[in-house]
Amino acid sequence: MSGGRYVPFNRPYTTGRELEHIAAAIDGGHLSGNGPFADRAERYLEARTGCARAFLTHSGSAALEMAALLVGLGTGDEVIMPSFTFTTTAGAVALRGAVPVFVDIRPDTLNIDPARIEAAITGRTRAIVAVHYAGVACDMDAVCEVARRHGLVVIEDAAHAVGATWRERPLGGIGHLGALSFHETKNVICGEGGALLLRDSELVRRAEVIHEKGTNRSAFLRDEVSRYHWAELGSSFPMSEINAAFLWAQLGSSDMITDRRLAIWHHYFDAFGDVEEQGLATRPVVPDGCRHNGHLFRLMLPDEEGRTTLIAELEKRGVNAVFHYVPLHSSPAGLRYGRAHGPLPVTDQASARLVRLPLWPGMDDADVEHVIEAVHDALARRTAPAHR
Ligand SMILES: Cc1ncc(COP(=O)(O)O)c(C=O)c1O
């Protein structure tokens, strides 16, 4: 039925310069963190996002854990966030003994609904996490305004959002702290990797210590102190120079990678207009003010059964489509470590009905056409529901 073609959900994209840079790193004799490639990548991220300082980390999750340490979260503190996100958005907070408080998302962007935040604030609330799902920006004006009124810190989980903007401002560089991911499924990759972006110079001073295993080794390397010691709680957060060399090759091609992903995204979007008109599935919404990065393409089916059937039918046709996310508030660890502020119907619905289609820069036009044809074919077997 698939004509022999199989389109995987993701295939890591390489630019062709990764090995050359890794060889240069090996020749350079610096393989641990904070080497020359890491330095170049951090300066690049600072220039691109306008943040005061970028720290490369060994994962996006590690960047979130650094953020939780920097905010000084402790037992019983609360952090407001969506439940429709990856586990470590909440895990980073819970690791500090703080409580993730889940609020519902907007039905259009699937991002945190700013109108739901205020009611979830208590005397223990310390921060809000804005997750930019699919590289589509949260309404950062509204989120930052609530945070300002209540004296809260804004952490951006921009794991999906490298290269995307909100009202011309790069995501990850708008809140007090921002986390990026370079995991192999993201737009710009290095296997496992991430970055923490900071706007405030006081946070930068402390982050330098937390990043370097809780020591003042960076000051020592600048000859500011005669020896270094354990200064505060930190961990081994830096990215290895081998990964940073890989990342440097990707950063040089990041605009090209984004353009290719956007071209595929738009191809899907245009091709599924008919499906939306027939009430078989709806396409993503990108509000005014967002320039997204084509990180992922999703369709929303009318119900969970339709979603499950579509994934199975696509697999039969040689297309590997997947669901996204199992909500955190009803997951075993979410129930143990967090709490939902009221019912989260939009989250539950999105989680039950969403399908992600394959999207990676190395897909050729025939792969994209194959996916489009398979979706049309699979959905044609279903009749449009009477209501949505
Ligand atoms: C929204 C979100 N936050 C955080 C992460 C964690 O990033 P990493 O896999 O680099 O640790 C992910 C990874 O998929 C994610 O999707």
Side-chain angles (χ1 to χ4, degrees):
M1 209 179 295
S2 65
R5 186 178 288 270
Y6 186 77
V7 186
F9 174 67
N10 179 55
R11 188 170 284 156
Y13 176 75
T14 49
T15 66
R17 288 187 307 281
E18 285 79 1
L19 284 175
E20 181 193 318
H21 290 335
I22 288 171
I26 294 170
D27 284 348
H30 182 134
L31 298 182
S32 59
N34 294 321
F37 278 109
D39 188 58
R40 278 193 231 171
E42 287 177 347
R43 303 300 76 78
Y44 174 95
L45 291 171
E46 287 158 11
R48 289 295 292 248
T49 63
C51 71
R53 183 79 159 80
F55 290 89
L56 288 191
T57 55
H58 52 76
S59 66
S61 303
L64 290 165
E65 285 167 29
M66 266 189 81
L69 278 162
L70 270 167
V71 173
L73 295 178
T75 307
D77 286 340
E78 296 178 358
V79 177
I80 296 172
M81 63 180 66
S83 164
F84 188 74
T85 182
F86 189 66
T87 55
T88 54
T89 313
V93 163
L95 277 168
R96 308 258 41 88
V99 181
V101 176
F102 303 115
V103 298
D104 216 353
I105 49 175
R106 287 169 40 154
D108 55 356
T109 57
L110 311 186
N111 285 333
I112 194 165
D113 185 345
R116 309 261 163 206
I117 295 174
E118 204 135 26
I121 295 174
T122 70
R124 301 303 308 263
T125 309
R126 301 287 310 282
I128 302 167
V129 186
V131 181
H132 305 296
Y133 182 70
V136 174
C138 295
D139 179 343
M140 287 307 287
D141 294 344
V143 171
C144 292
E145 175 52 24
V146 182
R148 192 194 57 73
R149 272 206 305 278
H150 294 271
L152 304 175
V153 174
V154 176
I155 301 170
E156 289 180 81
D157 181 338
H160 295 187
V162 173
T165 60
W166 165 251
R167 302 206 160 133
E168 309 298 328
R169 299 175 69 190
L171 300 185
I174 301 175
H176 301 94
L177 307 95
L180 307 179
S181 169
F182 305 119
H183 181 266
E184 71 165 31
T185 50
K186 302 301 188 294
N187 285 29
V188 171
I189 64 172
C190 67
E192 299 273 3
L196 180 69
L197 310 179
L198 299 176
R199 275 203 350 237
D200 175 88
S201 54
E202 180 55 25
L203 283 182
V204 170
R205 197 187 52 72
R206 288 190 43 234
E208 204 175 72
V209 173
I210 291 170
H211 190 240
E212 266 289 13
K213 291 95 169 164
T215 73
N216 57 343
R217 185 165 177 271
S218 301
F220 170 73
L221 293 176
R222 289 194 299 262
D223 279 335
E224 291 167 16
V225 290
S226 57
R227 58 197 176 135
Y228 67 89
H229 53 236
W230 186 18
E232 72 162 290
L233 211 50
S235 192
S236 184
F237 284 116
M239 176 187 288
S240 133
E241 186 68 352
I242 304 282
N243 282 37
F246 191 115
L247 180 65
W248 183 244
Q250 296 261 321
L251 288 172
S253 296
S254 60
D255 290 336
M256 182 276 286
I257 292 170
T258 304
D259 288 349
R260 176 67 193 143
R261 293 187 85 109
L262 281 170
I264 299 168
W265 192 98
H266 282 290
H267 202 131
Y268 281 151
F269 189 83
D270 294 342
F272 296 130
D274 57 347
V275 157
E276 189 165 277
E277 266 168 36
Q278 293 157 34
L280 295 171
T282 52
R283 298 172 297 170
V285 176
V286 179
D288 286 348
C290 288
R291 189 160 54 76
H292 75 99
N293 60 359
H295 175 56
L296 66 84
F297 189 88
R298 45 116 171 152
L299 288 173
M300 202 66 91
L301 275 289
D303 53 38
E304 183 164 12
E305 194 245 314
R307 188 270 300 274
T308 307
T309 308
L310 178 60
I311 290 177
E313 290 294 324
L314 289 177
E315 195 64 36
K316 284 188 209 158
R317 291 164 175 77
V319 173
N320 181 209
V322 299
F323 58 86
H324 219 195
Y325 290 107
V326 175
L328 300 186
H329 71 280
S330 49
S331 301
L335 292 165
R336 192 173 330 137
Y337 298 112
R339 73 178 161 78
H341 183 78
L344 310 182
V346 185
T347 299
D348 290 329
Q349 283 289 311
S351 170
R353 295 164 42 210
L354 187 145
V355 177
R356 289 177 70 182
L357 299 181
L359 202 173
W360 32 279
M363 285 175 83
D364 60 23
D365 291 346
D367 288 328
V368 179
E369 286 305 331
H370 180 72
V371 175
I372 291 170
E373 215 173 284
V375 170
H376 277 120
D377 189 43
L379 288 177
R381 288 166 187 271
R382 295 176 61 79
T383 47
H387 59 85
R388 290 154 65 195

